[in-house]
Every structure is written in C-alpha cells, then in structure tokens.
Amino acid sequence: MPEALVVGTVRQAMEIAIVVSLPMLMAGMLAGILVSLFQTVTSIQDNVLAFIPRAAAIFGVFALTFPWMLPVMGSFSTDIIKRLPESIRRTRRCWRDSPCCSYGAEW
C-alpha cells in the first residue's frame, strides 16, 4: 500500500479511538477526582471506595454512549472494507511498477 494511504488510515483509526474512548476516560477521571477529594476530606483510605465509583461511572457512560459509538466504529470498519479492493489494486500497481521488482512483466 502507498505510504499516504497507510498513514491516513492509521491517523483516522487513532482519531476515532480517541473520540470514542474520551467520554469514558473523562468520566473515570472526574469520578476519581471526586472520590479522592472525598477520601481526603473524610480521611477514609479504602481501596474499594476508590475503585467502585470509578468503575460505575465508566460503565454508566459506556452504557449511555454505546448507541453512538457503535455506528461510528461500524462506519469506520465499513469504509476500511470498502477501500480494500482499491488499496490492493494500488499496491499491485506500485509493486509492479517499482524498479526493484523482477516479476513486473508477469503481471
């Protein structure tokens, strides 16, 4: 595959991964800050108290944003699959036309 196609696809995949995971990460961070603040004020140092609210916040946000995440990931996957034949054609053309290829005439 041409470098620009690979770089563009990887960049798009990373952007989608960040956008899809950001709501859950922000909910976990906010819950963690609030629990830490509560533990500091009350002097309660319990590991379960730190874990359960964070996990619940992440799961809750996941449940709320899943209907939005599914089409986003599905459309990205569909676009990748639709572009696959063109990517293969470009790869074969680039490989066939390369000066270091000794099998170019057979294509």
Side-chain angles (χ1 to χ4, degrees), residues 2 6 11-12 19 27 29 34 55 60 71 75 86 89 96 105:
V6 172
R11 183 186 56 79
Q12 187 180 12
V19 167
M29 184 181 74
L34 292 175
S75 66
E86 179 62 28
R89 273 188 238 120
R96 179 181 47 206

PDB file of all heavy atoms in Angstrom, residues 2 6 11-12 19 27 29 34 55 60 71 75 86 89 96 105:
ATOM      1  N   PRO A   2       0.416   2.260  -0.639  1.00  0.00           N
ATOM      2  CA  PRO A   2       1.175   3.513  -0.595  1.00  0.00           C
ATOM      3  C   PRO A   2       1.237   4.063   0.830  1.00  0.00           C
ATOM      4  O   PRO A   2       0.312   3.870   1.628  1.00  0.00           O
ATOM      5  CB  PRO A   2       0.371   4.440  -1.505  1.00  0.00           C
ATOM      6  CG  PRO A   2      -0.468   3.555  -2.344  1.00  0.00           C
ATOM      7  CD  PRO A   2      -0.708   2.326  -1.552  1.00  0.00           C
ATOM      8  N   VAL A   6      -1.652   4.350   4.092  1.00  0.00           N
ATOM      9  CA  VAL A   6      -1.442   3.715   5.402  1.00  0.00           C
ATOM     10  C   VAL A   6      -1.451   4.766   6.504  1.00  0.00           C
ATOM     11  O   VAL A   6      -2.115   4.599   7.533  1.00  0.00           O
ATOM     12  CB  VAL A   6      -0.120   2.920   5.410  1.00  0.00           C
ATOM     13  CG1 VAL A   6       0.201   2.417   6.803  1.00  0.00           C
ATOM     14  CG2 VAL A   6      -0.186   1.773   4.430  1.00  0.00           C
ATOM     15  N   ARG A  11      -4.021   7.259  11.046  1.00  0.00           N
ATOM     16  CA  ARG A  11      -4.393   8.524  11.682  1.00  0.00           C
ATOM     17  C   ARG A  11      -5.886   8.552  11.976  1.00  0.00           C
ATOM     18  O   ARG A  11      -6.325   8.919  13.071  1.00  0.00           O
ATOM     19  CB  ARG A  11      -4.015   9.702  10.800  1.00  0.00           C
ATOM     20  CG  ARG A  11      -4.308  11.062  11.432  1.00  0.00           C
ATOM     21  CD  ARG A  11      -4.059  12.214  10.469  1.00  0.00           C
ATOM     22  NE  ARG A  11      -4.800  12.101   9.235  1.00  0.00           N
ATOM     23  CZ  ARG A  11      -6.112  12.417   9.094  1.00  0.00           C
ATOM     24  NH1 ARG A  11      -6.798  12.837  10.126  1.00  0.00           N
ATOM     25  NH2 ARG A  11      -6.702  12.307   7.933  1.00  0.00           N
ATOM     26  N   GLN A  12      -6.690   8.136  11.000  1.00  0.00           N
ATOM     27  CA  GLN A  12      -8.136   8.108  11.189  1.00  0.00           C
ATOM     28  C   GLN A  12      -8.526   7.117  12.290  1.00  0.00           C
ATOM     29  O   GLN A  12      -9.406   7.404  13.106  1.00  0.00           O
ATOM     30  CB  GLN A  12      -8.826   7.752   9.885  1.00  0.00           C
ATOM     31  CG  GLN A  12     -10.329   7.855   9.934  1.00  0.00           C
ATOM     32  CD  GLN A  12     -10.971   7.486   8.616  1.00  0.00           C
ATOM     33  OE1 GLN A  12     -10.340   6.949   7.727  1.00  0.00           O
ATOM     34  NE2 GLN A  12     -12.256   7.776   8.506  1.00  0.00           N
ATOM     35  N   VAL A  19     -11.727   9.696  20.116  1.00  0.00           N
ATOM     36  CA  VAL A  19     -13.062  10.283  20.242  1.00  0.00           C
ATOM     37  C   VAL A  19     -14.024   9.315  20.928  1.00  0.00           C
ATOM     38  O   VAL A  19     -14.838   9.726  21.758  1.00  0.00           O
ATOM     39  CB  VAL A  19     -13.589  10.693  18.838  1.00  0.00           C
ATOM     40  CG1 VAL A  19     -15.064  11.008  18.872  1.00  0.00           C
ATOM     41  CG2 VAL A  19     -12.808  11.876  18.309  1.00  0.00           C
ATOM     42  N   ALA A  27     -15.121  10.503  32.355  1.00  0.00           N
ATOM     43  CA  ALA A  27     -15.979  10.111  33.487  1.00  0.00           C
ATOM     44  C   ALA A  27     -15.148   9.439  34.575  1.00  0.00           C
ATOM     45  O   ALA A  27     -15.340   9.701  35.766  1.00  0.00           O
ATOM     46  CB  ALA A  27     -17.086   9.172  33.005  1.00  0.00           C
ATOM     47  N   MET A  29     -11.954   9.886  35.146  1.00  0.00           N
ATOM     48  CA  MET A  29     -11.103  10.896  35.769  1.00  0.00           C
ATOM     49  C   MET A  29     -11.899  11.765  36.738  1.00  0.00           C
ATOM     50  O   MET A  29     -11.455  12.026  37.867  1.00  0.00           O
ATOM     51  CB  MET A  29     -10.449  11.775  34.704  1.00  0.00           C
ATOM     52  CG  MET A  29      -9.472  12.776  35.271  1.00  0.00           C
ATOM     53  SD  MET A  29      -8.716  13.819  34.022  1.00  0.00           S
ATOM     54  CE  MET A  29     -10.061  14.900  33.626  1.00  0.00           C
ATOM     55  N   LEU A  34     -13.265  13.192  42.327  1.00  0.00           N
ATOM     56  CA  LEU A  34     -14.266  13.382  43.377  1.00  0.00           C
ATOM     57  C   LEU A  34     -14.073  12.401  44.534  1.00  0.00           C
ATOM     58  O   LEU A  34     -14.192  12.782  45.704  1.00  0.00           O
ATOM     59  CB  LEU A  34     -15.676  13.250  42.793  1.00  0.00           C
ATOM     60  CG  LEU A  34     -16.104  14.364  41.834  1.00  0.00           C
ATOM     61  CD1 LEU A  34     -17.465  14.060  41.240  1.00  0.00           C
ATOM     62  CD2 LEU A  34     -16.094  15.709  42.541  1.00  0.00           C
ATOM     63  N   ALA A  55     -15.431   2.664  38.482  1.00  0.00           N
ATOM     64  CA  ALA A  55     -15.935   1.618  37.601  1.00  0.00           C
ATOM     65  C   ALA A  55     -17.396   1.869  37.247  1.00  0.00           C
ATOM     66  O   ALA A  55     -17.805   1.686  36.095  1.00  0.00           O
ATOM     67  CB  ALA A  55     -15.771   0.252  38.262  1.00  0.00           C
ATOM     68  N   GLY A  60     -21.427   3.385  33.390  1.00  0.00           N
ATOM     69  CA  GLY A  60     -22.604   4.207  33.098  1.00  0.00           C
ATOM     70  C   GLY A  60     -22.442   5.027  31.829  1.00  0.00           C
ATOM     71  O   GLY A  60     -23.353   5.088  30.995  1.00  0.00           O
ATOM     72  N   PRO A  71     -22.338   3.012  15.698  1.00  0.00           N
ATOM     73  CA  PRO A  71     -22.318   3.464  14.301  1.00  0.00           C
ATOM     74  C   PRO A  71     -20.980   4.097  13.889  1.00  0.00           C
ATOM     75  O   PRO A  71     -20.568   3.963  12.738  1.00  0.00           O
ATOM     76  CB  PRO A  71     -23.441   4.496  14.221  1.00  0.00           C
ATOM     77  CG  PRO A  71     -24.284   4.290  15.405  1.00  0.00           C
ATOM     78  CD  PRO A  71     -23.432   3.635  16.437  1.00  0.00           C
ATOM     79  N   SER A  75     -19.126   2.433  10.841  1.00  0.00           N
ATOM     80  CA  SER A  75     -18.871   3.150   9.594  1.00  0.00           C
ATOM     81  C   SER A  75     -17.380   3.162   9.259  1.00  0.00           C
ATOM     82  O   SER A  75     -17.005   3.053   8.088  1.00  0.00           O
ATOM     83  CB  SER A  75     -19.411   4.578   9.665  1.00  0.00           C
ATOM     84  OG  SER A  75     -18.702   5.333  10.619  1.00  0.00           O
ATOM     85  N   GLU A  86      -9.536  -1.280  -3.685  1.00  0.00           N
ATOM     86  CA  GLU A  86      -8.739  -0.201  -4.291  1.00  0.00           C
ATOM     87  C   GLU A  86      -7.322  -0.185  -3.723  1.00  0.00           C
ATOM     88  O   GLU A  86      -6.352   0.044  -4.438  1.00  0.00           O
ATOM     89  CB  GLU A  86      -9.419   1.149  -4.052  1.00  0.00           C
ATOM     90  CG  GLU A  86      -8.652   2.321  -4.622  1.00  0.00           C
ATOM     91  CD  GLU A  86      -8.492   2.261  -6.127  1.00  0.00           C
ATOM     92  OE1 GLU A  86      -9.346   1.680  -6.802  1.00  0.00           O
ATOM     93  OE2 GLU A  86      -7.482   2.796  -6.622  1.00  0.00           O
ATOM     94  N   ARG A  89      -5.419  -2.930  -5.420  1.00  0.00           N
ATOM     95  CA  ARG A  89      -5.050  -2.542  -6.794  1.00  0.00           C
ATOM     96  C   ARG A  89      -3.875  -1.575  -6.794  1.00  0.00           C
ATOM     97  O   ARG A  89      -2.964  -1.700  -7.594  1.00  0.00           O
ATOM     98  CB  ARG A  89      -6.250  -1.907  -7.499  1.00  0.00           C
ATOM     99  CG  ARG A  89      -7.120  -2.936  -8.158  1.00  0.00           C
ATOM    100  CD  ARG A  89      -8.177  -2.282  -9.013  1.00  0.00           C
ATOM    101  NE  ARG A  89      -9.445  -2.748  -8.481  1.00  0.00           N
ATOM    102  CZ  ARG A  89     -10.401  -1.986  -7.977  1.00  0.00           C
ATOM    103  NH1 ARG A  89     -10.276  -0.684  -7.977  1.00  0.00           N
ATOM    104  NH2 ARG A  89     -11.497  -2.506  -7.498  1.00  0.00           N
ATOM    105  N   ARG A  96       4.296  -3.540  -9.029  1.00  0.00           N
ATOM    106  CA  ARG A  96       4.620  -3.926 -10.388  1.00  0.00           C
ATOM    107  C   ARG A  96       5.501  -2.866 -11.057  1.00  0.00           C
ATOM    108  O   ARG A  96       6.407  -3.190 -11.803  1.00  0.00           O
ATOM    109  CB  ARG A  96       3.321  -4.117 -11.182  1.00  0.00           C
ATOM    110  CG  ARG A  96       3.535  -4.489 -12.604  1.00  0.00           C
ATOM    111  CD  ARG A  96       2.232  -4.631 -13.331  1.00  0.00           C
ATOM    112  NE  ARG A  96       1.369  -3.494 -13.049  1.00  0.00           N
ATOM    113  CZ  ARG A  96       0.058  -3.524 -13.098  1.00  0.00           C
ATOM    114  NH1 ARG A  96      -0.560  -4.625 -13.426  1.00  0.00           N
ATOM    115  NH2 ARG A  96      -0.653  -2.463 -12.836  1.00  0.00           N
ATOM    116  N   ALA A 105       6.980  -7.889 -15.240  1.00  0.00           N
ATOM    117  CA  ALA A 105       6.486  -8.190 -16.568  1.00  0.00           C
ATOM    118  C   ALA A 105       5.435  -9.290 -16.539  1.00  0.00           C
ATOM    119  O   ALA A 105       4.641  -9.397 -17.472  1.00  0.00           O
ATOM    120  CB  ALA A 105       7.648  -8.617 -17.468  1.00  0.00           C
TER     121      ALA A 105
END
